Amino acid sequence: MARTTTPARRTGGFPYLLVLPAVLLFAAFVVAPGGYALLLSFQRRKVNGGLLGGGTHTVFAGLANYRDVLGDSDLWSGVLRMLALGAVTVPATVFFALLFAVLLDLERTRLKRITRLTIFLPYAVPGVIASLMWGFLYLPATSPIGGDRVDFFGQVAVYFSVGNVAVWGAVGFNMIVIYTALRALPAELSESARLDGASERQIVLRVKVPMVMPAVVMCTLFTVLAALQVFNEPNTLKPLSNAVSSTWVPLMKIYDDAFGNSDIYSAAATSVVLTAAALAVSFATARIIQSRVQQEAA
Amino acid sequence: MSVIPRRRRGAAAVALLAAGLLVATAACGGGSSGKKSDASGTAKSKGKVTLTFWDWDPNIDKVVATWNSSHPDIQVKLSNPAGGDQLVAKMITAHEAKNGPDIAKVEYQSLPALVSKGVVADITDYTKDTVTRYDDATLKSTVFQGKVYGVPQDVAPLMLFYRTDLFAKYGLSVPKTWDEFAAEAKSVRSRAPRSYLTNFDAADPGWFTGLAQQAGADWWSTTGDSWKVDIADAPTKKVAGYWQGLVDGGSIAKNPSFSPQWNKQMNDGTLLSWISGAWAPAQLGGIAPGTKGKWAVAPLPAWTAGDPATGIWGGSATTVTTDSEHPAEAAEFASWLNTDDAAVTEQVKQINVYPAATSGRSLPVLQAAPAFFPNQPDFYAEVKKVAPAARSFPMWGPDVTVTFTGYTDGFSKALQSGGSFSGALDSMQNATVADMKKLGFTVG
């Protein structure tokens, strides 16, 4: 057929068809449950009456759940702990990921493949398993790394112990992201820098690292998001010691409200608050880092 | 054996994360049999009936198989979605989705909560004969305001389990009073500096609750339709003060039970005793497999010499849910499971339960020692001796999980940063009352 069509007519509804699966999945697994959680957050369960309540019904609670949630000191201490934990995990994860990526990228480095795989491997270990494994390493009775002399679950130490599990699991993935960006840099860049008399260290710090900054930014964002959602590590380590309470971080509080106390309404309200905060923080983080990168590039 | 450490909440955690920060996914509980709601009366259903049964007892499948082979018209399909408190959460979720099981095992302390949420059905009409097989003290746990909500499976008086070999080695005698217990705890530290008489478990509230019951605490009681909550009462404060003294004096260990650390301590003789429910023999095999035949049971130490009172830890009932289309058949199975001599014998053998049914307590199978205690053939005789003096609260509250979380968080914090146990009790009291009021219960 030699018929010609204008571009607009040729495409028709096709682009919409292409994005349809993504939109449907987003609607089914993000918008719908999100909307349901929002709905729940304005409700509350009340017993019907009598000694045992005689069944329950839900009532419209207005903003009462939000008032309770925002006034709950447990949640705020949880937020503080989450921030303290993030202060450990975010810089450590990004720093080690960048360090390992740069080292792997050096020409002198030997056994690159096996090293890369070894550093990446912890990422493949599910968080719960990793936490259990580290738990055994920390506990005095089972520790091969001096848990009988050092209290890994001490008041301050516990942040580093929990953070360590998260960092251990996340470094590999972030390293690969940065390493891939490093490999994509044209070899001529390093070469010309070398010809200009730059040392290996200068090439890394002045040429390579600035050029992979976008990848580092992305890793930072990933890590910040992970820090806001921290749950697996402290929740798995909880039964091993007295150091981690059931509301240690905000997600644990949500979990405890929903599944421990069967109060999905409070849990929904906390979730909505936390989601809003997480969105705000991630946008802000992205903005700040992005603008700094642009400044440096300029 | 009825107690599953309440902190084993593992798997569902992953699901929550996967859902981003949105809790709403809770609704996707696993259901099976398609059911429609119907308001059938006491009439039995015609034809073949299949019932679903949620229970986490190891080997309960063998008992169910016995039923299935003799009842072709009422087939019971067993599944084990979770244990203890986790199963309670699953039952509530499944009920919301209208696809709960027909029958479920429920620990006594969770029953009022499940009744108040409308999950567990009133089976008074189907259990007129069954209830005559129990004494009044046992029925208190499943009969509320004259209505029957479950068929009791086992009772678990709190007792003292101790290492006979190590007690002999260090020249200790079995303590009969709490004063003796405290003195022994101290002397263990001097005779075997690496060992402790026991540990204070801040993670699982079951044992502490039992100790409070022994001392005479009534955390919940009722008058008419109104509740009285008294968690920080004088007996409980006495118990808390006693243990605070042992902890502060360094006489006992402070790490939680049911952890890898604790398992090792129980296995290698770091811990010489365990205050536990009568179901302990079935658990010890998994906790400290290397200590078979080295344990014995004794009555719990008393506050005043000769007082037989003790508390309870755990114990369960078989319940029928409001979602069941066949409550009559479900109740029939629940009654059989817990009162039929053959079924109860099988349960004692397989699960080491101490039966709740009066006739079950005289079964010949109780003459034999539990598999892990071959050295103590009079094990069940010891349990039988203390069982009549085991006291529970007049009734369990409708929001026990809040109280128990308060225990875990409050006592852990006190152990971790040197706070007071008494303060932890006060916050448990406040949290419990606040939650009950929020739900709309009348708290006097």
Side-chain angles (χ1 to χ4, degrees), chain A residues 39-60:
Chain A
L39 185 71
L40 288 177
S41 72
F42 294 110
Q43 295 176 342
R44 184 168 273 202
R45 190 197 296 276
K46 286 275 178 199
V47 292
N48 293 338
L51 181 69
L52 278 165
T56 57
H57 59 278
T58 50
V59 293
F60 179 72

Side-chain angles (χ1 to χ4, degrees), chain A residues 46-47 52 141 153 242 246, chain B residues 116 254 261 409 416 438-439:
Chain A
K46 286 275 178 199
V47 292
L52 278 165
F153 293 105
N242 294 318
S246 62
Chain B
S116 83
K254 301 197 285 188
Q261 161 101 343
D409 287 350
Q416 179 82 358
K438 186 176 162 189
L439 283 164

Side-chain angles (χ1 to χ4, degrees), chain B residues 257-315:
Chain B
S257 303
F258 302 106
S259 73
Q261 161 101 343
W262 182 75
N263 286 1
K264 182 146 190 297
Q265 292 169 329
M266 292 288 276
N267 221 354
D268 69 11
T270 305
L271 295 175
L272 308 187
S273 73
W274 182 26
I275 294 167
S276 185
W279 39 261
Q283 295 282 314
L284 276 171
I287 293 163
T291 59
K292 186 175 176 175
K294 294 178 178 170
W295 293 88
V297 72
L300 198 64
W303 285 104
T304 45
D307 180 0
T310 184
I312 59 148
W313 182 1

Side-chain angles (χ1 to χ4, degrees), chain B residues 108-343:
Chain B
Y108 294 137
Q109 78 269 10
S110 309
L111 193 52
L114 286 170
V115 172
S116 83
K117 294 200 164 67
V119 179
V120 166
D122 169 6
I123 49 171
T124 315
D125 291 340
Y126 313 116
T127 51
K128 294 231 152 60
D129 292 334
T130 310
V131 290
T132 61
R133 312 281 300 270
Y134 292 91
D135 59 35
D136 288 344
T138 310
L139 286 177
K140 231 173 56 178
S141 306
T142 54
V143 181
F144 310 133
Q145 295 188 315
K147 289 178 180 162
V148 181
Y149 291 100
V151 184
Q153 181 189 22
D154 63 332
V155 293
L158 204 61
M159 305 186 75
L160 179 69
F161 294 81
Y162 66 99
R163 285 283 294 273
T164 48
D165 55 335
L166 297 176
F167 264 54
K169 183 176 165 191
Y170 302 133
L172 305 169
S173 55
V174 181
K176 295 207 161 36
T177 62
W178 287 115
D179 285 340
E180 285 175 34
F181 186 87
E184 302 247 284
K186 229 184 215 152
S187 76
V188 169
R189 299 298 297 140
S190 59
R191 289 180 208 186
R194 293 180 60 85
S195 297
Y196 293 93
L197 183 56
T198 192
N199 62 311
F200 187 92
D201 182 13
D204 199 312
W207 75 293
F208 184 85
T209 311
L211 291 177
Q213 289 166 339
Q214 180 200 29
D218 289 330
W219 287 7
W220 291 272
S221 51
T222 61
T223 338
D225 281 350
S226 151
W227 290 88
K228 181 164 180 251
V229 183
D230 209 358
I231 294 165
D233 61 0
T236 312
K237 291 240 161 161
K238 175 173 80 171
V239 174
Y242 172 83
W243 288 94
Q244 176 107 55
L246 290 184
V247 167
D248 290 350
S251 307
I252 56 170
K254 301 197 285 188
N255 57 288
S257 303
F258 302 106
S259 73
Q261 161 101 343
W262 182 75
N263 286 1
K264 182 146 190 297
Q265 292 169 329
M266 292 288 276
N267 221 354
D268 69 11
T270 305
L271 295 175
L272 308 187
S273 73
W274 182 26
I275 294 167
S276 185
W279 39 261
Q283 295 282 314
L284 276 171
I287 293 163
T291 59
K292 186 175 176 175
K294 294 178 178 170
W295 293 88
V297 72
L300 198 64
W303 285 104
T304 45
D307 180 0
T310 184
I312 59 148
W313 182 1
S316 304
T318 310
T319 65
V320 176
T321 72
T322 51
D323 291 332
S324 178
E325 272 182 34
H326 308 290
E329 287 83 355
E332 190 185 337
F333 172 76
S335 300
W336 173 86
L337 181 66
N338 300 311
T339 59
D340 180 85
D341 283 353

Side-chain angles (χ1 to χ4, degrees), chain A residues 4-287:
Chain A
T4 54
T5 48
T6 65
R9 272 176 64 198
R10 190 173 51 221
T11 47
F14 195 57
Y16 296 101
L17 199 67
L18 283 179
V19 296
L20 191 65
V23 170
L24 282 181
L25 288 174
F26 185 75
F29 294 108
V30 178
V31 178
Y36 185 53
L38 196 65
L39 185 71
L40 288 177
S41 72
F42 294 110
Q43 295 176 342
R44 184 168 273 202
R45 190 197 296 276
K46 286 275 178 199
V47 292
N48 293 338
L51 181 69
L52 278 165
T56 57
H57 59 278
T58 50
V59 293
F60 179 72
L63 293 172
N65 288 332
Y66 287 95
R67 207 166 44 231
D68 289 357
V69 162
L70 294 174
D72 190 340
S73 63
D74 281 350
L75 178 69
W76 295 112
S77 343
V79 169
L80 287 181
R81 285 190 207 99
M82 177 188 78
L83 293 177
L85 203 56
V88 174
T89 56
V90 177
T93 308
V94 177
F95 173 76
F96 283 112
L98 184 61
L99 179 71
F100 290 141
V102 165
L103 289 178
L104 276 178
D105 190 51
L106 289 183
E107 270 168 36
R108 280 178 287 169
T109 311
R110 301 272 164 258
L111 299 172
K112 280 187 191 178
R113 243 164 207 275
I114 188 89
T115 314
R116 204 169 61 207
L117 190 69
T118 314
I119 301 173
F120 182 74
L121 213 54
Y123 177 69
V125 178
V128 173
I129 311 283
S131 306
L132 278 177
M133 256 165 45
W134 278 104
F136 275 88
L137 295 180
Y138 294 151
L139 282 176
T142 52
S143 175
I145 56 168
D148 47 345
R149 285 186 299 274
V150 187
D151 183 5
F152 284 108
F153 293 105
Q155 292 216 58
V156 178
V158 68
Y159 292 94
F160 291 93
S161 300
V162 173
N164 173 51
V165 183
V167 173
W168 181 80
V171 162
F173 172 78
N174 291 293
M175 175 203 70
I176 293 289
V177 172
I178 300 172
Y179 178 70
T180 314
L182 280 170
R183 298 307 293 170
L185 296 180
E188 298 82 42
L189 276 175
S190 310
E191 219 166 280
S192 54
R194 204 167 288 126
L195 284 176
D196 286 345
S199 68
E200 212 49 40
R201 175 194 300 231
Q202 283 171 323
I203 295 175
V204 168
L205 292 180
R206 301 272 172 83
V207 180
K208 287 183 180 171
V209 171
M211 298 222 46
V212 296
M213 255 315 163
V216 176
V217 168
M218 197 170 73
C219 289
T220 311
L221 196 59
F222 283 158
T223 319
V224 167
L225 285 178
L228 291 174
Q229 299 182 32
V230 62
F231 176 81
N232 272 345
E233 295 85 2
N235 198 55
T236 313
L237 291 175
K238 178 179 181 289
L240 304 186
S241 80
N242 294 318
V244 180
S245 67
S246 62
T247 56
W248 206 66
V249 287
L251 272 197
M252 285 177 72
K253 180 172 167 48
I254 293 175
Y255 180 68
D256 192 60
D257 276 344
F259 299 102
N261 301 334
S262 309
D263 184 0
I264 53 171
Y265 309 96
S266 288
T270 316
S271 301
V272 170
V273 170
L274 204 62
T275 308
L279 283 175
V281 169
S282 36
F283 278 129
T285 315
R287 269 286 164 82

